[in-house]
Amino acid sequence: MKTKLTFLGTGTSQGVPIIGCGCKVCTSEDPRDKRFRSSVLVEYGPLTILVDAGPDFRSQMLAAKVRHLDAILLTHNHKDHTGGLDDVRSLNYVDRNVVEIYCEEKVLNSIRTEYSYAFVDKKYPGSPEWRIHLIDDRPIIVHQNKKGDLEWVHDVGYCHRMPDGSLIPTDGHIISEAEKCSFEVWEEQMHQESAESPIILPIRGFHDKMPVLGFRFGDIAYLTDMSSIPESEFAKLKGLKHLTLNTVGYKKHHSHFSLNEAVELAGRIGAKHTWLTHLSHSFPRYEEFCRELPDGIAPAYDGLVLE
Protein backbone atom coordinates (compact mmCIF):
# COMPACT_ATOMS: atom_id res chain seq x y z
CA MET A 1 0.00 0.00 0.00
CA LYS A 2 1.40 3.39 -0.95
CA THR A 3 2.71 5.41 1.99
CA LYS A 4 3.99 8.98 2.09
CA LEU A 5 5.30 10.63 5.27
CA THR A 6 6.03 14.35 5.59
CA PHE A 7 7.92 15.70 8.60
CA LEU A 8 6.00 18.71 9.91
CA GLY A 9 8.29 19.17 12.91
CA THR A 10 11.60 17.59 13.93
CA GLY A 11 12.56 19.54 17.05
CA THR A 12 12.48 18.94 20.78
CA SER A 13 9.82 20.22 23.17
CA GLN A 14 11.33 23.73 22.91
CA GLY A 15 11.76 23.67 19.15
CA VAL A 16 14.79 25.12 17.35
CA PRO A 17 15.74 27.92 17.64
CA ILE A 18 15.21 28.07 21.38
CA ILE A 19 13.94 31.38 22.73
CA GLY A 20 16.86 33.56 23.77
CA CYS A 21 19.61 31.22 22.53
CA GLY A 22 22.43 32.62 20.40
CA CYS A 23 24.26 29.36 19.57
CA LYS A 24 25.41 28.54 16.02
CA VAL A 25 22.46 26.22 15.42
CA CYS A 26 19.79 28.55 16.78
CA THR A 27 21.17 31.42 14.67
CA SER A 28 21.73 29.30 11.55
CA GLU A 29 20.27 30.62 8.30
CA ASP A 30 19.84 27.08 6.90
CA PRO A 31 16.06 26.39 6.91
CA ARG A 32 16.85 22.75 7.81
CA ASP A 33 18.00 24.02 11.22
CA LYS A 34 14.58 25.59 11.93
CA ARG A 35 12.54 22.95 13.71
CA PHE A 36 8.91 22.94 14.88
CA ARG A 37 7.90 20.51 17.63
CA SER A 38 7.88 16.89 16.41
CA SER A 39 4.96 15.77 14.25
CA VAL A 40 4.40 14.01 10.91
CA LEU A 41 1.68 13.91 8.26
CA VAL A 42 1.10 10.45 6.80
CA GLU A 43 -0.75 9.69 3.58
CA TYR A 44 -1.46 5.97 3.90
CA GLY A 45 -3.57 4.53 1.11
CA PRO A 46 -6.76 6.64 1.08
CA LEU A 47 -6.10 8.15 4.51
CA THR A 48 -4.50 11.43 5.60
CA ILE A 49 -3.27 11.05 9.17
CA LEU A 50 -1.52 13.39 11.61
CA VAL A 51 0.73 11.96 14.31
CA ASP A 52 0.74 14.35 17.28
CA ALA A 53 -0.72 17.86 17.44
CA GLY A 54 1.67 19.98 19.44
CA PRO A 55 1.81 23.75 20.04
CA ASP A 56 2.90 24.35 16.42
CA PHE A 57 -0.14 22.53 14.98
CA ARG A 58 -1.69 25.62 13.35
CA SER A 59 1.55 26.75 11.70
CA GLN A 60 2.31 23.21 10.54
CA MET A 61 -1.13 22.75 8.97
CA LEU A 62 -0.85 26.06 7.13
CA ALA A 63 2.72 25.36 5.95
CA ALA A 64 1.71 21.93 4.59
CA LYS A 65 -1.57 23.29 3.15
CA VAL A 66 -3.58 20.62 4.97
CA ARG A 67 -7.32 20.90 4.33
CA HIS A 68 -8.53 17.57 5.71
CA LEU A 69 -7.50 14.91 8.24
CA ASP A 70 -9.00 11.45 8.57
CA ALA A 71 -7.40 10.89 11.98
CA ILE A 72 -5.01 12.25 14.58
CA LEU A 73 -2.87 9.66 16.37
CA LEU A 74 -1.31 10.68 19.69
CA THR A 75 1.92 9.04 20.85
CA HIS A 76 1.58 10.26 24.45
CA ASN A 77 0.21 13.11 26.54
CA HIS A 78 3.10 15.58 26.85
CA LYS A 79 2.28 19.17 25.94
CA ASP A 80 4.61 19.28 22.93
CA HIS A 81 2.47 16.50 21.39
CA THR A 82 -1.06 17.58 22.42
CA GLY A 83 -0.85 21.36 22.87
CA GLY A 84 -2.48 22.20 19.54
CA LEU A 85 -5.64 20.11 19.78
CA ASP A 86 -7.89 23.13 20.30
CA ASP A 87 -7.07 24.30 16.79
CA VAL A 88 -8.88 21.34 15.19
CA ARG A 89 -11.92 23.63 15.37
CA SER A 90 -11.02 24.79 11.86
CA LEU A 91 -11.33 21.22 10.58
CA ASN A 92 -14.71 20.88 12.32
CA TYR A 93 -15.92 23.85 10.30
CA VAL A 94 -14.47 22.76 6.95
CA ASP A 95 -15.45 19.07 7.17
CA ARG A 96 -18.68 19.64 9.12
CA ASN A 97 -17.63 16.65 11.23
CA VAL A 98 -15.94 15.71 14.47
CA VAL A 99 -12.18 15.14 14.40
CA GLU A 100 -11.21 11.51 14.98
CA ILE A 101 -8.50 11.17 17.65
CA TYR A 102 -6.81 7.87 18.52
CA CYS A 103 -5.00 7.60 21.86
CA GLU A 104 -4.47 5.46 24.93
CA GLU A 105 -6.71 5.86 27.97
CA LYS A 106 -4.06 7.62 30.04
CA VAL A 107 -3.69 10.17 27.25
CA LEU A 108 -7.46 10.70 27.22
CA ASN A 109 -7.38 11.31 30.98
CA SER A 110 -4.75 14.00 30.47
CA ILE A 111 -6.72 15.62 27.63
CA ARG A 112 -9.84 15.68 29.85
CA THR A 113 -7.91 17.83 32.31
CA GLU A 114 -6.10 19.99 29.79
CA TYR A 115 -9.19 20.62 27.66
CA SER A 116 -11.94 20.22 30.25
CA TYR A 117 -14.19 22.67 28.37
CA ALA A 118 -14.42 20.19 25.46
CA PHE A 119 -15.94 17.48 27.69
CA VAL A 120 -18.67 19.33 29.60
CA ASP A 121 -22.36 18.73 28.86
CA LYS A 122 -23.05 22.35 27.95
CA LYS A 123 -20.06 23.38 25.87
CA TYR A 124 -18.90 26.92 25.23
CA PRO A 125 -19.87 27.75 21.61
CA GLY A 126 -16.93 27.02 19.31
CA SER A 127 -15.22 24.41 21.48
CA PRO A 128 -13.51 21.65 19.48
CA GLU A 129 -15.58 18.63 18.47
CA TRP A 130 -13.72 15.33 18.90
CA ARG A 131 -14.42 11.62 18.77
CA ILE A 132 -11.88 9.78 20.92
CA HIS A 133 -10.98 6.20 19.95
CA LEU A 134 -9.15 4.31 22.70
CA ILE A 135 -6.20 2.23 21.51
CA ASP A 136 -3.41 0.07 22.90
CA ASP A 137 -0.56 -1.80 21.22
CA ARG A 138 -2.88 -3.92 19.03
CA PRO A 139 -3.33 -3.13 15.30
CA ILE A 140 -6.07 -0.59 14.63
CA ILE A 141 -8.34 -0.16 11.61
CA VAL A 142 -8.88 3.46 10.59
CA HIS A 143 -11.68 4.62 8.29
CA GLN A 144 -11.98 7.77 6.21
CA ASN A 145 -13.54 10.73 7.99
CA LYS A 146 -15.96 12.03 5.38
CA LYS A 147 -17.93 15.27 5.37
CA GLY A 148 -20.57 15.18 8.09
CA ASP A 149 -23.74 16.97 9.12
CA LEU A 150 -22.44 19.49 11.65
CA GLU A 151 -23.77 23.01 11.27
CA TRP A 152 -22.54 26.10 13.03
CA VAL A 153 -25.20 28.03 14.90
CA HIS A 154 -24.31 31.48 16.20
CA ASP A 155 -24.16 31.68 20.02
CA VAL A 156 -24.98 27.97 20.25
CA GLY A 157 -22.08 26.11 18.63
CA TYR A 158 -22.10 23.01 16.46
CA CYS A 159 -25.35 21.13 15.98
CA HIS A 160 -26.44 18.05 14.04
CA ARG A 161 -28.95 18.67 11.25
CA MET A 162 -31.67 16.04 11.64
CA PRO A 163 -33.75 14.52 8.77
CA ASP A 164 -36.75 16.66 9.74
CA GLY A 165 -34.60 19.80 9.50
CA SER A 166 -34.26 20.41 13.22
CA LEU A 167 -30.89 21.13 14.85
CA ILE A 168 -29.64 19.29 17.94
CA PRO A 169 -26.48 20.43 19.81
CA THR A 170 -23.68 17.85 19.86
CA ASP A 171 -22.92 15.96 23.04
CA GLY A 172 -19.28 16.93 22.51
CA HIS A 173 -17.51 14.04 24.18
CA ILE A 174 -17.89 10.84 22.16
CA ILE A 175 -15.54 8.11 23.39
CA SER A 176 -15.32 4.55 22.08
CA GLU A 177 -12.92 1.65 21.64
CA ALA A 178 -11.02 1.75 18.36
CA GLU A 179 -11.65 -1.06 15.88
CA LYS A 180 -8.80 -3.54 16.37
CA CYS A 181 -7.54 -6.70 14.75
CA SER A 182 -4.80 -9.29 15.17
CA PHE A 183 -1.16 -8.99 14.14
CA GLU A 184 -1.79 -11.81 11.64
CA VAL A 185 -4.55 -9.81 9.91
CA TRP A 186 -2.19 -6.82 9.69
CA GLU A 187 0.45 -9.04 8.07
CA GLU A 188 -2.07 -10.21 5.48
CA GLN A 189 -2.99 -6.65 4.55
CA MET A 190 0.70 -5.77 4.10
CA HIS A 191 0.67 -7.86 0.92
CA GLN A 192 -2.39 -6.08 -0.54
CA GLU A 193 -2.10 -3.30 -3.09
CA SER A 194 -4.85 -1.24 -1.47
CA ALA A 195 -7.44 -1.24 1.29
CA GLU A 196 -10.43 1.01 1.91
CA SER A 197 -9.67 1.02 5.66
CA PRO A 198 -5.92 0.49 6.22
CA ILE A 199 -4.55 -1.13 9.36
CA ILE A 200 -2.03 0.81 11.47
CA LEU A 201 0.39 -1.03 13.71
CA PRO A 202 1.19 0.63 17.07
CA ILE A 203 4.71 0.08 18.45
CA ARG A 204 5.13 0.08 22.23
CA GLY A 205 8.04 2.01 23.68
CA PHE A 206 8.98 3.74 26.92
CA HIS A 207 9.70 7.43 27.45
CA ASP A 208 11.74 6.91 30.62
CA LYS A 209 9.15 4.84 32.55
CA MET A 210 6.13 6.23 30.68
CA PRO A 211 4.52 3.86 28.14
CA VAL A 212 4.22 5.59 24.76
CA LEU A 213 3.34 4.52 21.22
CA GLY A 214 5.02 4.77 17.84
CA PHE A 215 3.27 3.68 14.64
CA ARG A 216 4.00 1.65 11.53
CA PHE A 217 2.30 2.57 8.25
CA GLY A 218 3.14 -0.05 5.64
CA ASP A 219 6.93 0.00 5.24
CA ILE A 220 7.44 3.25 7.19
CA ALA A 221 7.70 3.36 11.00
CA TYR A 222 7.68 6.52 13.13
CA LEU A 223 9.07 6.28 16.67
CA THR A 224 9.53 9.39 18.78
CA ASP A 225 10.03 10.20 22.47
CA MET A 226 11.40 6.78 23.39
CA SER A 227 14.36 5.67 25.47
CA SER A 228 13.70 1.92 25.23
CA ILE A 229 11.71 -0.61 23.20
CA PRO A 230 10.57 -3.97 24.66
CA GLU A 231 12.08 -7.03 23.04
CA SER A 232 8.61 -8.20 21.98
CA GLU A 233 8.16 -5.19 19.66
CA PHE A 234 11.07 -5.84 17.31
CA ALA A 235 9.03 -8.35 15.29
CA LYS A 236 6.81 -5.39 14.28
CA LEU A 237 9.81 -3.55 12.81
CA LYS A 238 11.00 -6.08 10.24
CA GLY A 239 11.27 -5.24 6.55
CA LEU A 240 11.10 -1.44 6.82
CA LYS A 241 12.05 0.93 4.03
CA HIS A 242 12.09 3.98 6.32
CA LEU A 243 12.53 4.16 10.11
CA THR A 244 12.33 7.32 12.22
CA LEU A 245 14.01 7.39 15.64
CA ASN A 246 14.32 10.15 18.21
CA THR A 247 17.53 11.47 19.70
CA VAL A 248 18.16 14.67 21.64
CA GLY A 249 21.93 14.69 22.10
CA TYR A 250 25.22 12.88 22.43
CA LYS A 251 24.95 12.14 26.15
CA LYS A 252 22.78 9.42 27.66
CA HIS A 253 19.31 10.77 28.43
CA HIS A 254 16.70 9.41 30.82
CA SER A 255 13.78 9.64 28.37
CA HIS A 256 15.24 9.75 24.84
CA PHE A 257 17.77 7.74 22.89
CA SER A 258 21.26 9.21 22.81
CA LEU A 259 22.80 9.44 19.36
CA ASN A 260 24.89 6.29 19.93
CA GLU A 261 21.82 4.39 21.15
CA ALA A 262 19.79 5.51 18.12
CA VAL A 263 22.58 4.47 15.71
CA GLU A 264 22.91 1.09 17.43
CA LEU A 265 19.14 0.56 17.34
CA ALA A 266 18.99 1.51 13.67
CA GLY A 267 21.61 -1.13 12.94
CA ARG A 268 19.63 -3.78 14.76
CA ILE A 269 16.31 -2.96 13.05
CA GLY A 270 17.96 -2.81 9.65
CA ALA A 271 15.68 -0.44 7.74
CA LYS A 272 16.99 0.73 4.37
CA HIS A 273 16.95 4.33 5.60
CA THR A 274 16.85 5.68 9.17
CA TRP A 275 15.91 9.28 9.93
CA LEU A 276 16.57 11.08 13.22
CA THR A 277 14.00 13.40 14.75
CA HIS A 278 13.22 15.27 18.00
CA LEU A 279 16.61 16.93 17.52
CA SER A 280 17.99 19.56 19.87
CA HIS A 281 20.39 22.45 19.27
CA SER A 282 23.16 20.41 20.95
CA PHE A 283 23.82 18.74 17.57
CA PRO A 284 25.80 20.65 14.91
CA ARG A 285 24.25 22.52 12.01
CA TYR A 286 22.49 20.28 9.52
CA GLU A 287 25.24 19.81 6.92
CA GLU A 288 27.92 19.15 9.54
CA PHE A 289 25.66 16.72 11.39
CA CYS A 290 25.04 14.75 8.18
CA ARG A 291 28.79 14.20 7.78
CA GLU A 292 29.01 12.71 11.29
CA LEU A 293 26.46 9.97 10.68
CA PRO A 294 26.94 6.46 9.24
CA ASP A 295 25.67 5.57 5.77
CA GLY A 296 21.91 5.02 5.73
CA ILE A 297 21.27 7.35 8.71
CA ALA A 298 20.49 11.06 8.36
CA PRO A 299 18.81 13.84 10.34
CA ALA A 300 15.26 14.59 9.26
CA TYR A 301 14.18 18.20 8.78
CA ASP A 302 10.87 20.03 8.60
CA GLY A 303 9.33 19.48 5.17
CA LEU A 304 11.27 16.30 4.34
CA VAL A 305 9.09 13.79 2.44
CA LEU A 306 9.56 10.00 2.56
CA GLU A 307 7.91 7.61 0.09
Side-chain angles (χ1 to χ4, degrees):
M1 189 179 305
K2 184 175 175 59
T3 308
K4 176 182 175 181
L5 182 149
T6 303
F7 288 93
L8 302 180
T10 55
T12 60
S13 59
Q14 297 184 79
V16 180
I18 292 176
I19 295 172
C21 183
C23 75
K24 291 183 178 180
V25 174
C26 286
T27 57
S28 170
E29 295 184 1
D30 188 336
R32 294 170 296 184
D33 290 321
K34 311 295 184 187
R35 302 183 183 277
F36 283 134
R37 269 62 74 94
S38 291
S39 175
V40 292
L41 185 72
V42 180
E43 295 166 68
Y44 184 38
L47 301 178
T48 301
I49 297 168
L50 179 72
V51 181
D52 288 333
D56 300 315
F57 171 82
R58 177 179 176 275
S59 297
Q60 291 168 332
M61 294 295 96
L62 291 172
K65 296 181 171 56
V66 175
R67 301 177 62 87
H68 169 79
L69 290 175
D70 291 298
I72 297 176
L73 309 182
L74 299 178
T75 59
H76 63 298
N77 61 320
H78 282 168
K79 189 76 168 183
D80 55 320
H81 296 262
T82 64
L85 286 174
D86 183 79
D87 282 326
V88 304
R89 291 177 294 147
S90 301
L91 298 174
N92 293 145
Y93 187 80
V94 170
D95 283 336
R96 295 181 59 197
N97 208 345
V98 298
V99 171
E100 311 286 352
I101 298 176
Y102 292 74
C103 66
E104 295 193 88
E105 188 169 9
K106 63 182 179 59
V107 180
L108 168 61
N109 294 337
S110 177
I111 293 172
R112 280 184 183 275
T113 300
E114 188 173 353
Y115 298 99
S116 57
Y117 56 88
F119 291 91
V120 295
D121 290 331
K122 294 184 179 180
K123 295 174 63 172
Y124 185 85
S127 298
E129 299 285 345
W130 304 328
R131 178 181 290 110
I132 308 291
H133 303 263
L134 294 177
I135 64 175
D136 49 36
D137 55 4
R138 290 175 289 176
I140 54 176
I141 300 172
V142 177
H143 303 281
Q144 290 178 277
N145 186 25
K146 299 178 180 179
K147 190 170 286 291
D149 65 353
L150 290 186
E151 292 193 22
W152 174 255
V153 179
H154 182 66
D155 290 339
V156 175
Y158 286 104
C159 297
H160 291 291
R161 172 72 68 176
M162 306 307 290
D164 64 1
S166 62
L167 290 167
I168 298 178
T170 66
D171 61 15
H173 46 277
I174 308 167
I175 300 169
S176 64
E177 285 287 331
E179 186 177 350
K180 300 166 186 172
C181 66
S182 67
F183 182 70
E184 289 73 23
V185 171
W186 171 81
E187 286 186 306
E188 290 177 10
Q189 191 186 89
M190 282 287 290
H191 301 293
Q192 299 176 12
E193 289 294 324
S194 63
E196 185 176 334
S197 299
I199 300 172
I200 298 165
L201 185 62
I203 312 294
R204 172 64 69 203
F206 286 88
H207 188 32
D208 194 4
K209 297 179 181 179
M210 173 190 289
V212 298
L213 291 175
F215 300 98
R216 177 169 179 166
F217 308 89
D219 57 5
I220 299 179
Y222 178 74
L223 310 181
T224 185
D225 285 50
M226 293 184 182
S227 55
S228 65
I229 300 174
E231 194 65 31
S232 59
E233 298 300 281
F234 283 91
K236 298 178 180 179
L237 297 169
K238 293 180 179 179
L240 290 172
K241 181 178 180 181
H242 294 289
L243 167 68
T244 300
L245 294 173
N246 71 104
T247 179
V248 295
Y250 295 101
K251 297 179 181 179
K252 189 171 181 62
H253 194 279
H254 69 100
S255 60
H256 291 274
F257 295 122
S258 68
L259 179 59
N260 285 340
E261 289 170 334
V263 169
E264 181 179 344
L265 186 57
R268 177 178 178 183
I269 293 172
K272 291 182 180 180
H273 307 280
T274 296
W275 305 91
L276 304 177
T277 193
H278 211 286
L279 302 170
S280 74
H281 68 163
S282 65
F283 291 118
R285 291 178 180 175
Y286 184 83
E287 287 190 355
E288 182 182 344
F289 191 22
C290 286
R291 293 193 291 268
E292 288 186 7
L293 297 170
D295 291 344
I297 302 177
Y301 55 86
D302 294 16
L304 173 66
V305 176
L306 308 181
E307 293 186 86

